[in-house]
Amino acid sequence: MDADELDWPNLVDMVLSWSLEDAMDEDVFKNKLKRIPSIFNNIEGYLGSYASPLLEELRAEMLSSLESISTLSFVKVSWIEQKKYSEAYDIAFEADSQNTESRNKLESNRRSVGDIIILSDVKPENISDIAQNGRPYCIAFITDGGDEDDDSPPAMYVIKASGQIDAADEISQDGKRRPLFAAHLLNIVTYIRIWRCLDYTTLRRNQNLIQEMVHYPRVANIPPKHANGFSSVDSMEIWSELSTMDLNNSQNDAILNCISAMLCSTSSNFSLIWGPPGTGKTKTISVLLWLMRKTKHGILTCAPTNLAVKQVASRFLRLSKENSVDTRCLGDVLLFGNKQRMCVDDDLKEIYLHDRVRKLLVCFAPLTGWRACMSSLYGFLENGYSQYLQSFADQREDDNLSFLDYTRQRFTAMYLELRRCFKQLLFHVPKSCILEVNYNNIISLLKLLEDFNTLQRKITKDEMKNVFMYTDVPRKSSMAKFSKAVITLGNTRIKCLELLKMLLSSLKLPITSSKRTIREFCMDNASIIFCTVSSSSKVASNNKLELLVVDEAAQLKECETLIPLCLPALKHAILIGDECQLPAMVKSKVCEDALFGRSLFARLSSLGHEKHLLNVQYRMHPSISIFPNTRFYGGKLLDAPTVMQKEHQKKYLPGSMFGPYSFFNIEDGWEDVDELSHSRKNMVEVIVIQEILQNLQKGVIRVLDLFLKTIYL
């Protein structure tokens, strides 16, 4: 495929052009697939090698859903109408209360932008009910569906369809009302993002990192790298910080080499950290991120799944709180992802985009936000007495307050509201947006307002009026009539006015009620961002991000890694993973044979790229670790002292068969398959496992300490 000669097609249009027969044809892309090489001549050839495999994998995933169509949750379409002057449709769905057979009802019934759905007038038991019986059907793509920060599903969606759609409940020729049903097949947002990255001509991409990745030479052609050039890095300071982190030598070396490669290199580069199971990979990443944050470098941290992202973000947040003097500002740290899948709770809500938008929505509101609060308070402190006289004239006689009571009520209400607003801003807005001088002025203002709030409760009714008459340069003749309390409170009022005036002039923060605008503000100005690899495309306009850190990099298809690598501001990338563990899942056999599931981490490793091995494992008993260590890691792993202590030698069940590990041969077991022949089970093995678990629960082990894994899907 020559990108210079062909216009890059729209992936959604391509998918909607497929018939069900196309989706079920396993040979449709077979002849177009070639084995993806390890080295490439140019970027165009590199990108082109992934185009056909991506289409084939999408087709295979779509087929997998179609083959399981009887298990899908169909929902009735309550209303559908084509938009004027458009091929798109507005569509609404009935409540999903009757859909109880779905394997995961909550997830399957939650439609979102990027979903491919199938529309039909029946709920088919299998795909042949539609494909072979000539029944009308339509494949559609959801293009719009409310705001992603909304807690409830939208009332209406917008779809793009593969053909003309009849109205829901349309009356057919036989006079019967014909319903219309919809079912979710798959979400193709990640496919779309990868597809856009494969377009060489139209997408702005990070040429430096892409060039380094594509043209990486074999090890024979490159000199070995060493951690040198630390002259531009304060190595003593870094060593001092690392010494407090309780890291082993391999973790320290990996961090120092990565920092050196970034700060002491004039060109873009990749660093690889090889983290076998239990070697403290997440801790190493969190310390690396913490150190880079202290050096004011922008970092995008990604992982394949929401769960992996949460784990890294949680560890980093805890480390930051334990080792930072000032934890009042976390506005530069941001976590975002799908609300339903990420399920953020506890401390992570402090940095989660959805919660941050909700809190800043109040602070940025035009009528009640930060500027309105400051303006109101400034007007009151400057003209409080004249405002009181106006209020006095407007009130009924029996409702009139004294100036003292009026001042206390008005000031306290405005002060508390401004304090609440400022605390949210200082915590959730990056200090770089507030600016250091404004940040310090806000802290000073809050202290002065607290003093004013305390002092005002200690003066009399007559003194309060004098406070608002007091100026910072009173005439000597009038000094005698002001008490010490009035002078102190009056000076505090004047200092508050000065700071409020400066802040109203210099503080440049949004004034908006738009969730989308606030979301973009947060994403564009954060300098430490956590998200999935797929979602990283949303931070393309953030020019602060210099370093990309990818956790579980060996579990990603290489073409998926292109999504963050194409971000224009990135200069360096650190890949953390272990190619000895399971790679990315690939549904298509021809794609698997073409190495479509190979990761960038694995390819660079195969070419001899230097890897920094974390060589101390803290998880497994030595009797367990000896096999993977010998079989996969060449005996390079060391057992930490903690795994050789008595706690790791406990026996939880009696009998010689129960040691650090046990194998059981279930001779009388047999395998059953489900009605689709997709999933297998062995009920005899299930009974044996249940008995073991029950015996364990009767002992000293807690349920949360158990991890049950099966090869069956």
Side-chain angles (χ1 to χ4, degrees):
M1 182 179 297
D2 190 343
D4 291 328
E5 297 178 1
L6 298 177
D7 291 333
W8 198 245
N10 182 287
L11 184 63
V12 174
D13 291 340
M14 294 178 68
V15 173
L16 294 182
S17 71
W18 294 348
S19 64
L20 291 184
E21 289 76 12
D22 292 331
M24 293 186 291
D25 185 359
E26 297 184 355
D27 295 327
V28 65
F29 294 108
K30 187 174 183 180
N31 295 330
K32 298 181 181 179
L33 265 68
K34 296 180 181 179
R35 185 181 176 90
I36 300 172
S38 295
I39 55 176
F40 304 88
N41 294 324
N42 51 57
I43 294 180
E44 292 91 331
Y46 169 82
L47 299 176
S49 67
Y50 285 98
S52 293
L54 185 73
L55 293 173
E56 163 59 19
E57 180 65 11
L58 195 161
R59 183 211 61 79
E61 187 174 348
M62 188 171 176
L63 173 60
S64 177
S65 294
L66 289 170
E67 289 177 337
S68 306
I69 199 167
S70 63
T71 67
L72 299 180
S73 177
F74 275 83
V75 60
K76 188 177 181 182
V77 176
S78 60
W79 175 79
I80 186 169
E81 182 178 280
Q82 187 168 6
K83 287 178 169 290
K84 290 184 178 180
Y85 313 114
S86 173
E87 296 180 355
Y89 290 81
D90 291 325
I91 188 170
F93 304 97
E94 288 188 355
D96 300 332
S97 58
Q98 296 180 353
N99 295 307
T100 57
E101 298 179 357
S102 171
R103 294 176 181 174
N104 191 338
K105 179 182 173 185
L106 179 62
E107 184 66 27
S108 62
N109 289 344
R110 183 83 184 196
R111 287 160 290 277
S112 59
V113 173
D115 283 353
I116 294 289
I117 60 175
I118 184 168
L119 299 166
S120 173
D121 63 349
V122 295
K123 296 180 180 179
E125 290 298 320
N126 54 67
I127 191 58
S128 62
D129 289 348
I130 297 176
Q132 297 178 8
N133 296 339
R135 303 196 68 92
Y137 74 91
C138 192
I139 303 296
F141 173 79
I142 297 181
T143 63
D144 191 18
D147 192 289
E148 60 186 273
D149 283 311
D150 291 340
D151 293 319
S152 56
M156 184 180 69
Y157 297 83
V158 179
I159 63 172
K160 185 176 183 179
S162 60
Q164 187 70 29
I165 304 177
D166 294 330
D169 285 333
E170 183 183 68
I171 298 177
S172 59
Q173 293 180 353
D174 58 6
K176 296 182 179 180
R177 191 171 294 276
R178 187 174 66 191
L180 187 62
F181 299 96
H184 168 272
L185 293 179
L186 74 160
N187 187 283
I188 65 169
V189 165
T190 298
Y191 286 101
I192 293 172
R193 290 168 178 164
I194 297 173
W195 186 255
R196 289 173 180 167
C197 292
L198 299 181
D199 178 8
Y200 180 76
T201 59
T202 62
L203 183 67
R204 180 180 64 176
R205 54 171 45 88
N206 188 341
Q207 289 284 348
N208 293 328
L209 272 177
I210 300 297
Q211 289 279 3
E212 170 73 13
M213 177 182 71
V214 172
H215 296 301
Y216 187 80
R218 294 185 182 276
V219 66
N221 300 328
I222 58 172
K225 290 183 179 180
H226 300 284
N228 52 25
F230 250 83
S231 57
S232 62
V233 184
D234 191 341
S235 56
M236 292 301 295
E237 181 180 351
I238 291 177
W239 267 113
S240 176
E241 299 284 6
L242 280 176
S243 65
T244 65
M245 293 293 120
D246 192 27
L247 299 176
N248 61 51
N249 290 338
S250 67
Q251 292 169 327
N252 283 328
D253 289 344
I255 291 173
L256 289 172
N257 275 277
C258 290
I259 293 176
S260 176
M262 178 178 177
L263 301 184
C264 305
S265 175
T266 58
S267 60
S268 298
N269 58 67
F270 286 83
S271 296
L272 272 58
I273 297 178
W274 187 10
T279 54
K281 178 170 57 68
T282 304
K283 181 177 181 179
T284 304
I285 296 172
S286 63
V287 173
L288 173 65
L289 297 178
W290 178 71
L291 285 171
M292 296 307 294
R293 185 191 183 206
K294 289 175 71 71
T295 59
K296 309 295 183 183
H297 285 84
I299 310 170
L300 173 63
T301 303
C302 299
T305 64
N306 287 286
L307 178 59
V309 172
K310 280 175 58 179
Q311 289 176 339
V312 177
S314 180
R315 181 68 69 90
F316 168 79
L317 186 60
R318 185 166 73 246
L319 181 69
S320 297
K321 290 185 174 183
E322 291 172 351
N323 294 276
S324 296
V325 177
D326 185 3
T327 58
R328 291 175 297 181
C329 183
L330 285 173
D332 61 321
V333 183
L334 186 67
L335 166 70
F336 70 88
N338 184 283
K339 294 196 301 292
Q340 285 70 45
R341 298 190 186 99
M342 191 161 271
C343 301
V344 169
D345 53 15
D346 301 329
D347 288 350
L348 281 181
K349 285 190 174 183
E350 295 176 347
I351 61 172
Y352 186 48
L353 178 62
H354 177 67
D355 291 278
R356 180 163 290 175
V357 168
R358 291 164 66 93
K359 291 175 180 177
L360 290 181
L361 186 63
V362 179
C363 298
F364 289 164
L367 300 180
T368 58
W370 66 272
R371 190 167 189 86
C373 287
M374 283 204 298
S375 297
S376 297
L377 185 57
Y378 182 86
F380 173 75
L381 290 177
E382 187 177 40
N383 302 302
Y385 189 67
S386 61
Q387 289 182 8
Y388 166 72
L389 294 178
Q390 181 63 46
S391 172
F392 187 88
D394 295 340
Q395 290 178 347
R396 294 181 306 178
E397 186 174 341
D398 54 348
D399 291 335
N400 286 334
L401 296 172
S402 67
F403 181 56
L404 178 64
D405 292 335
Y406 171 84
T407 300
R408 287 175 176 174
Q409 288 185 12
R410 286 288 311 277
F411 176 81
T412 300
M414 287 188 287
Y415 160 60
L416 292 177
E417 185 64 21
L418 183 62
R419 185 181 67 175
R420 179 202 59 77
C421 185
F422 270 151
K423 285 191 174 182
Q424 296 286 12
L425 290 177
L426 295 181
F427 191 88
H428 290 290
V429 174
K431 192 178 287 188
S432 60
C433 295
I434 297 175
L435 300 182
E436 188 73 28
V437 62
N438 290 331
Y439 185 91
N440 293 332
N441 283 339
I442 290 173
I443 299 297
S444 299
L445 175 62
L446 290 176
K447 177 65 172 63
L448 286 169
L449 292 175
E450 177 65 28
D451 292 343
F452 190 97
N453 192 45
T454 302
L455 292 171
Q456 70 161 337
R457 303 184 183 280
K458 299 179 180 180
I459 63 174
T460 65
K461 178 168 55 175
D462 294 332
E463 288 177 323
M464 181 58 78
K465 180 179 177 181
N466 290 333
V467 168
F468 281 80
M469 299 298 182
Y470 180 81
T471 62
D472 56 342
V473 189
R475 293 188 300 272
K476 291 184 179 181
S477 59
S478 62
M479 284 289 292
K481 71 176 183 180
F482 293 132
S483 67
K484 184 177 180 181
V486 169
I487 294 173
T488 301
L489 193 56
N491 283 326
T492 303
R493 166 182 160 269
I494 290 169
K495 291 176 182 177
C496 288
L497 282 169
E498 291 173 349
L499 287 175
L500 283 167
K501 186 175 182 179
M502 283 191 290
L503 288 169
L504 283 167
S505 174
S506 60
L507 196 58
K508 308 296 182 184
L509 293 177
I511 301 174
T512 179
S513 294
S514 167
K515 290 182 180 179
R516 182 184 297 273
T517 301
I518 298 173
R519 186 164 60 242
E520 291 173 352
F521 170 82
C522 293
M523 296 175 75
D524 288 348
N525 290 285
S527 55
I528 306 289
I529 295 181
F530 298 89
C531 65
T532 62
V533 168
S534 177
S535 299
S536 64
S537 63
K538 296 182 178 181
V539 296
S541 58
N542 186 317
N543 58 11
K544 301 175 182 290
L545 305 175
E546 305 170 68
L547 173 65
L548 170 66
V549 176
V550 182
D551 189 20
E552 305 291 0
Q555 296 181 17
L556 281 165
K557 305 178 188 73
E558 180 165 347
C559 58
E560 288 182 89
T561 317
L562 282 173
I563 300 174
L565 286 174
C566 287
L567 298 179
L570 291 176
K571 298 177 182 177
H572 307 275
I574 300 173
L575 308 180
I576 303 102
D578 178 16
E579 73 268 35
C580 296
Q581 298 184 52
L582 290 175
M585 181 179 292
V586 177
K587 288 186 176 291
S588 168
K589 182 62 169 63
V590 292
C591 282
E592 184 178 358
D593 294 340
L595 300 183
F596 181 64
R598 183 183 60 190
S599 67
L600 174 60
F601 188 99
R603 183 172 71 83
L604 293 179
S605 296
S606 70
L607 295 174
H609 196 294
E610 182 184 16
K611 295 183 294 187
H612 306 291
L613 173 65
L614 306 181
N615 66 357
V616 182
Q617 72 88 14
Y618 299 84
R619 182 179 300 166
M620 295 173 279
H621 188 282
S623 298
I624 299 175
S625 68
I626 189 171
F627 169 71
N629 188 14
T630 304
R631 177 66 178 82
F632 299 108
Y633 303 106
K636 297 177 181 178
L637 298 185
L638 305 175
D639 295 316
T642 53
V643 302
M644 294 186 283
Q645 295 174 354
K646 291 183 178 180
E647 287 75 8
H648 265 73
Q649 299 176 6
K650 286 183 178 179
K651 294 183 65 174
Y652 296 101
L653 290 175
S656 58
M657 70 173 66
F658 296 105
Y661 62 89
S662 303
F663 291 99
F664 299 92
N665 181 24
I666 311 299
E667 295 181 345
D668 299 326
W670 68 91
E671 289 185 343
D672 292 330
V673 297
D674 64 5
E675 64 276 11
L676 297 174
S677 300
H678 282 174
S679 184
R680 289 184 271 180
K681 58 186 177 182
N682 188 316
M683 294 308 298
V684 176
E685 291 182 0
V686 170
I687 293 172
V688 173
I689 292 172
Q690 283 180 329
E691 184 175 350
I692 293 174
L693 293 178
Q694 289 170 356
N695 290 334
L696 285 170
Q697 284 183 292
K698 293 176 183 177
V700 297
I701 195 167
R702 296 177 299 145
V703 175
L704 291 178
D705 293 324
L706 297 171
F707 177 66
L708 184 62
K709 189 171 184 178
T710 175
I711 62 170
Y712 296 125
L713 300 177

